[in-house]
Amino acid sequence: MYNKTEEVDTLLSAESTISLLLTAVYAVTGWLFATVFRGKVSQIDYWVLIWLVYDVLIHITLEGSFVVISLVSTVQDSDHFAAMTWKEYAKADERWGISDPTIVSLEILTVTIVTLFAIMLIYAIIEGRYYRHFLQISVCVCELYGGWMTFCPEWLTGSKYLHTDNWLYLWVYLVFFNMLWVVIPLLLLWQSWAEMKILLGGQGDIISETITTTTNTVRTYETRSKAKASKKD
C-alpha cells in the first residue's frame, strides 16, 4: 500500500532539513538585528530590515558559496560542505547542480552589486539617508530581473531541468523560496512609490509653475532677440 508518510520521510532528508533550518536561522538573525534598531525606524521599515538582513545573509553565504564553487568546478562535483545545500536544491532545478552559465552569471551580479546595495540600503534606512529609495528601487529591480532571467529561459525551453513531481521540490523549493524574491521586492517598490508620492506630491504645482515660468522667460528672450535683429536689418 502506498504510504504518504514514507514519501515525506524520504523527501525530508538530512540535507533538506539542514537547509530549511539554515534559512530559519537567517530569518531569526534578521529579526534580532531589526529589533536592535526598532526605536530608530518605522513599523514598516522594521519588517523591511528583517527581510534585508535575511536577503543579505542568503546572498553572501549560500549564493556566494555557489558562485565560488561554480567558478572552479560544479556543485555536483564538489565535496565541500557548502555544496550540500545546492545539491539538495538541484533536486528541484538541475541547473544549479551543473552550474549553468546563465545562473552563475546572474548570481555573480547578485552576490556582488545587489548585496552591496542591500547593505547600503540597511544603513540608509537606519540612518534616514536621502538615497534610501534609490537603493531600494535598484535592489528590487535587480531581484526581479534575476528571478525572471532564472526561470523565463527555462520555461521557453520546456522546463526540462525542473522537477515538479514532488511537493517539496515544487511548492517549497521552487514556488515558496523563489516567490519570496518576487512578492517582497514588488511590495518594496510600492512602498518607494508611495513615499516618493508623499514627498513630491506637494511640490507638483511648484514644479509646474517653475517649468511654465522658465518656458515663458525663454520665449520672451527669443521674441526680444528677434525684434532687435529686425531693427538692425
Side-chain angles (χ1 to χ4, degrees):
M1 182 181 294
Y2 175 71
N3 191 329
K4 289 186 178 181
T5 304
E6 291 179 359
E7 180 188 17
V8 172
D9 291 341
T10 301
L11 288 173
L12 293 177
S13 60
E15 291 81 3
S16 61
T17 302
I18 293 173
S19 299
L20 293 173
L21 285 175
L22 184 60
T23 60
V25 169
Y26 288 166
V28 172
T29 303
W31 171 72
L32 291 173
F33 179 90
T35 301
V36 173
F37 297 98
R38 192 164 193 170
K40 296 187 64 175
V41 299
S42 67
Q43 184 63 28
I44 293 177
D45 284 342
Y46 166 73
W47 291 102
V48 174
L49 284 178
I50 293 176
W51 163 252
L52 288 174
V53 173
Y54 175 83
D55 184 51
V56 167
L57 290 174
I58 292 289
H59 290 335
I60 292 176
T61 60
L62 295 183
E63 292 171 304
S65 64
F66 170 79
V67 169
V68 172
I69 291 171
S70 298
L71 290 177
V72 297
S73 180
T74 63
V75 166
Q76 66 184 10
D77 293 331
S78 175
D79 295 325
H80 196 279
F81 174 78
M84 178 192 68
T85 298
W86 293 112
K87 285 181 179 180
E88 178 63 22
Y89 185 78
K91 295 177 181 177
D93 189 341
E94 288 183 30
R95 292 174 299 166
W96 297 82
I98 60 175
S99 298
D100 178 82
T102 301
I103 299 295
V104 176
S105 299
L106 289 169
E107 288 302 326
I108 290 174
L109 175 66
T110 300
V111 171
T112 54
I113 296 176
V114 178
T115 301
L116 176 61
F117 277 19
I119 293 172
M120 293 171 63
L121 177 56
I122 291 172
Y123 172 79
I125 291 174
I126 294 173
E127 298 298 328
R129 299 302 184 186
Y130 67 91
Y131 48 80
R132 176 261 175 90
H133 285 290
F134 166 77
L135 289 173
Q136 185 160 305
I137 292 171
S138 300
V139 169
C140 291
V141 170
C142 286
E143 299 281 18
L144 291 171
Y145 173 78
W148 176 259
M149 289 305 298
T150 296
F151 286 101
C152 185
E154 184 64 8
W155 295 332
L156 293 175
T157 56
S159 302
K160 59 183 178 181
Y161 290 113
L162 300 182
H163 298 281
T164 59
D165 51 336
N166 290 316
W167 68 269
L168 180 66
Y169 303 157
L170 174 60
W171 295 109
V172 180
Y173 292 176
L174 294 176
V175 176
F176 176 73
F177 280 109
N178 285 288
M179 285 303 294
L180 284 178
W181 274 270
V182 174
V183 174
I184 296 179
L186 286 174
L187 290 174
L188 292 180
L189 282 176
W190 177 83
Q191 183 200 26
S192 292
W193 176 83
E195 289 293 329
M196 289 189 293
K197 183 180 179 181
I198 293 173
L199 292 173
L200 299 175
Q203 301 178 25
D205 294 338
I206 297 175
I207 293 172
S208 297
E209 290 175 4
T210 301
I211 293 173
T212 301
T213 302
T214 302
T215 302
N216 290 336
T217 301
V218 171
R219 287 175 179 172
T220 301
Y221 175 79
E222 290 177 346
T223 301
R224 289 177 179 175
S225 297
K226 290 179 180 178
K228 289 180 179 179
S230 298
K231 289 180 180 180
K232 290 180 180 180
D233 293 338

